[in-house]
């Protein structure tokens, strides 16, 4: 079972995070001890012993008692000890939850309505998360999350994908909600609510995102596949990951994993469908692309790690826009190049918004990421929207626009994007496409020469703007 491997990896990541955190604390204490100045000598002490003085052998006595040896190794290894058993109250609550979750499985499920089973498991899990957060009981929180994953596996194996999606969403929301309850002082070094508060939100979001991939492989009797519910689940987990990153409850890598699983899910849907593409696929994937970009911008982690979140959001939204374009029958149709233009405009807007908050917008990595993604989508949208004879002018015009923006804003990504657009224009100009079209009678030779002259004028204007920027 894949979920057993995922739970094992989650436990390993959690144990490694505990070890890294303990080593960090010990290293901090060591640095403080090294930086601490030595204590001054007390007044009235005996004069120091000089090498010129002779001391009799009977005066060299170690009559001062030695301090007791400190068991430093035991103190250092204490955080890695096996977790202490729960209290009697917590053990009773955990046992009651486990029996409640097992009741439908131990009974005859044929006599249970599908909605009743989902409602019972969901209510028990919600109560488990609520009580665990209220009393700060780590074992109850972990048991609740594990029980939901077990029921997810049962539902998916039984073909009830909607129940599996519901339980997976509840697991992600409940696990992330544990970050809302801060631990008590001194509850951060051993297994307790401090560890659950720090690790469970990221584990629940990552595990839920990975497990959500299996919900995309369901196919309806008509062959179009199930797309609405998996899209809502995967996109919701991405939003939840962005909120957790913004609140500092999860690492930025959590958002990157959620975005990756959403893209894999859409690709899996395109591969497993047997009939026509669902009519809901196109609007859903476009909505997911815009939501990803907005969530990545709103996450706003620390300046040291915001490039990872911005990169995941920009790459995810761009790939979803490309999947939407390639899912159309006509690559040069409006429904193919419209999402590329739309997401490209969104990327440029997010680059401008990010530049307003950056200390140095001209060299900021986040601004470069958003602007690079927007320029790349703009180049692809020109290839989709314009005919072969007009692409030379279109790329040259894009190069002029990007150069003008670079002359005005000075962003690093604009300079390279303008050069790449100019290279695209030169590549189309040097290809035999225009003269082949003129030879076939599709355009006149005068029109081909006019296109080349216009592209040359646009590129010359771009070069003058770039030179003016260099002078300043």
């Amino acid at each position: 079972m894949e979920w057993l491997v995922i739970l094992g990896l989650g436990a390993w990541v959690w144990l490694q995070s505990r070890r890294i955190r303990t080593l960090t604390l010990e290293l901090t204490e060591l640095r403080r001890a090294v930086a601490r100045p030595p204590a001054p000598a007390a007044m009235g002490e005996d004069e120091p012993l000089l090498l010129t003085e002779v001391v009799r052998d009977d005066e060299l006595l170690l009559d001062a008692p030695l301090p007791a040896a400190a068991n430093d190794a035991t103190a250092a290894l204490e955080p890695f000890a096996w977790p202490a058993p729960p209290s009697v109250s917590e053990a009773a609550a955990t046992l009651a939850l486990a029996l409640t979750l097992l009741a439908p499985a131990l009974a005859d499920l044929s006599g249970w309505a599908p909605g009743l089973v989902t409602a019972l498991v969901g209510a028990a899990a919600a109560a488990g998360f609520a009580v665990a957060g209220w009393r700060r009981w780590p074992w109850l929180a972990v048991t609740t999350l594990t029980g939901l994953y077990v029921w997810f596996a049962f539902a998916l194996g039984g073909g009830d994908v909607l129940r599996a999606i519901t339980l997976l969403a509840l697991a992600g929301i409940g696990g992330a909600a544990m970050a809302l309850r801060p631990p008590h002082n001194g509850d951060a070094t051993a297994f307790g609510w401090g560890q659950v508060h720090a690790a469970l939100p990221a584990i629940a979001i990552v595990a839920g995102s990975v497990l959500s991939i299996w919900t995309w492989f369901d196919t309806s009797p008509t062959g179009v596949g199930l797309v609405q519910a998996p899209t809502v689940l995967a996109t919701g987990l991405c939003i939840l990951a962005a909120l957790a990153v913004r609140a500092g409850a999860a690492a930025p890598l959590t958002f990157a994993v959620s975005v990756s699983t959403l893209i894999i899910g859409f690709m899996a849907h395109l591969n497993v469908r047997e009939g026509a593409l669902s009519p809901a696929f196109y609007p859903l994937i476009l909505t997911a692309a815009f939501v990803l970009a907005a969530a990545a911008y709103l996450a706003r982690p620390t300046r040291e790690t915001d490039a990872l979140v911005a990169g995941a959001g920009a790459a995810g939204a761009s790939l979803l826009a490309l999947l939407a374009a390639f899912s159309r029958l006509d690559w040069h149709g409006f429904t193919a190049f419209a999402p590329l233009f739309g997401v490209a405009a969104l990327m440029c807007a997010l680059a401008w918004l990010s530049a307003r908050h950056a200390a140095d917008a001209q060299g900021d990595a986040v601004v470069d990421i958003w602007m690079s993604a927007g320029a790349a989508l703009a180049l692809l949208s020109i290839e989709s929207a314009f005919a072969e004879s007009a692409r030379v002018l279109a790329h040259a015009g894009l190069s002029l626009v990007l150069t003008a923006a670079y002359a005005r804003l000075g962003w690093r990504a604009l300079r390279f994007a303008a050069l790449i657009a100019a290279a695209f224009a030169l590549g189309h100009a040097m290809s035999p496409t225009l003269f082949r079209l003129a030879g076939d009678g599709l355009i006149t030779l005068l029109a081909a020469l006019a296109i080349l002259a216009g592209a040359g004028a646009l590129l010359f204007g771009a070069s003058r703007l770039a030179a003016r920027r260099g002078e300043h």
Side-chain angles (χ1 to χ4, degrees):
M1 298 287 290
E2 293 85 355
W3 61 272
L4 290 176
V5 178
I6 295 172
L7 289 178
L9 290 175
W12 179 81
V13 170
W14 173 64
L15 291 174
Q16 292 300 317
S17 65
R18 293 176 58 199
R19 189 178 187 89
I20 292 173
R21 187 170 185 175
T22 303
L23 291 176
T24 303
L25 293 175
E26 292 180 355
L27 182 60
T28 303
E29 291 296 330
L30 181 60
R31 289 176 177 175
R32 291 176 180 175
V34 172
R36 188 180 299 117
M43 299 300 295
E45 292 185 352
D46 296 336
E47 293 293 331
L49 181 63
L50 301 178
L51 296 178
T52 57
E53 300 180 8
V54 179
V55 182
R56 295 196 302 261
D57 293 339
D58 55 358
E59 294 184 3
L60 294 177
L61 299 178
L62 295 177
D63 53 354
L66 294 176
N71 194 358
D72 296 335
T74 303
L77 293 176
E78 184 178 355
F80 307 122
W82 185 256
S87 62
V88 177
S89 301
E90 184 179 1
T94 304
L95 180 60
L97 174 68
L99 293 177
T100 305
L101 293 176
L102 287 175
L106 296 177
D108 187 9
L109 288 178
S110 60
W112 293 67
L116 181 59
V117 175
T118 305
L120 176 62
V121 176
F129 281 128
V131 175
W134 172 45
R135 299 299 301 271
R136 293 185 176 90
W137 283 346
W139 287 100
L140 183 59
V142 174
T143 303
T144 305
L145 188 65
T146 305
L148 285 174
Y149 289 149
V150 172
W151 267 106
F152 165 80
F154 287 158
L156 199 62
D160 195 345
V161 181
L162 293 179
R163 181 194 298 173
I165 290 174
T166 303
L167 297 179
L168 207 56
L170 183 58
I173 296 173
M178 298 300 99
L180 301 176
R181 185 68 164 168
H184 291 301
N185 294 331
D187 192 25
T189 56
F191 180 78
W193 188 251
Q195 295 293 333
V196 170
H197 172 269
L200 200 64
I203 292 176
I205 295 173
V206 171
S209 300
V210 174
L211 291 174
S212 68
I213 297 176
W214 275 263
T215 63
W216 293 86
F217 290 97
D218 177 72
T219 55
S220 62
T222 58
V224 297
L226 186 66
V227 63
Q228 291 93 339
T231 302
V232 172
L233 173 63
T235 308
L237 288 173
C238 291
I239 297 175
L240 191 62
L243 293 176
V245 171
R246 182 182 179 89
L253 188 60
T254 306
F255 179 74
V257 172
S258 300
V259 172
S260 302
T261 56
L262 176 60
I263 298 172
I264 294 174
F266 274 110
M267 296 174 65
H269 174 77
L270 290 175
N271 289 326
V272 301
R273 65 182 179 89
E274 299 175 357
L277 191 63
S278 173
F281 177 84
Y282 186 73
L284 284 174
I285 194 172
L286 290 182
T287 303
F290 282 90
V291 169
L292 278 189
Y297 173 76
L298 295 176
R300 291 186 184 178
T302 59
R303 300 301 299 177
E304 292 77 11
T305 57
D306 54 358
L308 176 60
V309 176
S318 301
L319 289 175
L320 291 180
L322 284 175
L323 287 177
F326 285 126
S327 67
R328 303 295 89 191
L329 297 178
D330 184 11
W331 164 248
H332 300 289
F334 176 80
T335 56
F337 63 79
L340 299 177
F341 272 120
V343 178
L346 177 62
M347 297 295 174
C348 296
L350 293 178
W352 179 74
L353 291 174
S354 300
R356 297 178 59 186
H357 303 284
D360 181 17
Q362 297 183 3
D364 189 73
V366 175
V367 176
D368 291 341
I369 289 172
W370 291 120
M371 192 63 239
S372 299
L377 289 177
L379 292 172
L380 290 175
S381 60
I382 288 176
E383 293 292 325
S384 173
F386 291 88
E388 287 184 306
S389 58
R391 291 173 193 169
V392 180
L393 284 173
H395 284 298
L398 178 61
S399 178
L400 178 61
V401 171
L402 293 174
T403 305
Y406 171 68
R408 175 67 176 84
L409 302 174
W411 296 350
R412 181 173 50 191
L414 286 171
R415 177 178 59 181
F416 295 102
L419 290 175
I420 295 175
F424 269 72
L426 291 175
H428 282 287
M430 297 175 62
S431 67
T433 302
L434 287 177
F435 296 100
R436 178 177 56 82
L437 294 175
D440 294 339
L442 299 177
I443 61 173
T444 62
L445 181 59
L446 183 61
L449 294 176
I451 290 174
L452 292 178
L458 292 174
L459 293 178
F460 177 76
S463 66
R464 295 306 303 165
L465 288 176
R468 186 178 304 174
R469 171 72 186 183
E471 293 174 358
H472 296 284

